[in-house]
Amino acid sequence: TMRIGLGMAALGRPGYINLARDSDLPSRTVEGMQGRANLVMDELLLRCGDDDTPWLDCARSYGLSEKFVGEYLRSNSINPEEVYVSSKW
């Protein structure tokens, strides 16, 4: 199997985006950021084949990334065995 990863830094803390921020993230409310993160995670899962495992990389310093990933996994009923989630200090 192959792991296809998504770093959540810019999705959880948009201050990391320093070019075209307004067009890439038009709403910087928590709801808007969660919505954008959901779209990107949807795309990750779509691109993963049956033998691929999606990998979501979070960190405390990535703003709301852990919250966004947790909400996404719960709302889509994704089992922990179906995805890798990493987080660091």
Side-chain angles (χ1 to χ4, degrees):
T1 64
M2 179 172 44
R3 292 182 194 162
I4 299 176
L6 173 62
M8 295 295 295
L11 294 165
R13 186 174 178 188
Y16 283 132
I17 302 172
N18 58 13
L19 297 172
R21 179 180 12 219
D22 293 334
S23 62
D24 288 335
L25 192 60
S27 173
R28 293 181 60 193
T29 65
V30 172
E31 296 80 16
M33 291 168 51
Q34 175 80 61
R36 186 63 164 172
N38 290 352
L39 291 174
V40 176
M41 288 185 277
D42 282 344
E43 188 66 28
L44 171 67
L45 293 176
L46 182 68
R47 291 176 182 256
C48 284
D50 292 336
D51 293 330
D52 301 331
T53 304
W55 180 4
L56 299 162
D57 180 52
C58 302
R60 183 175 178 190
S61 63
Y62 296 175
L64 298 172
S65 66
E66 294 168 324
K67 175 188 182 317
F68 293 164
V69 168
E71 291 290 330
Y72 180 83
L73 297 176
R74 278 188 295 279
S75 68
N76 288 284
S77 300
I78 298 173
N79 293 320
E81 302 84 33
E82 299 172 352
V83 64
Y84 289 99
V85 177
S86 56
S87 189
K88 51 209 164 289
W89 181 256

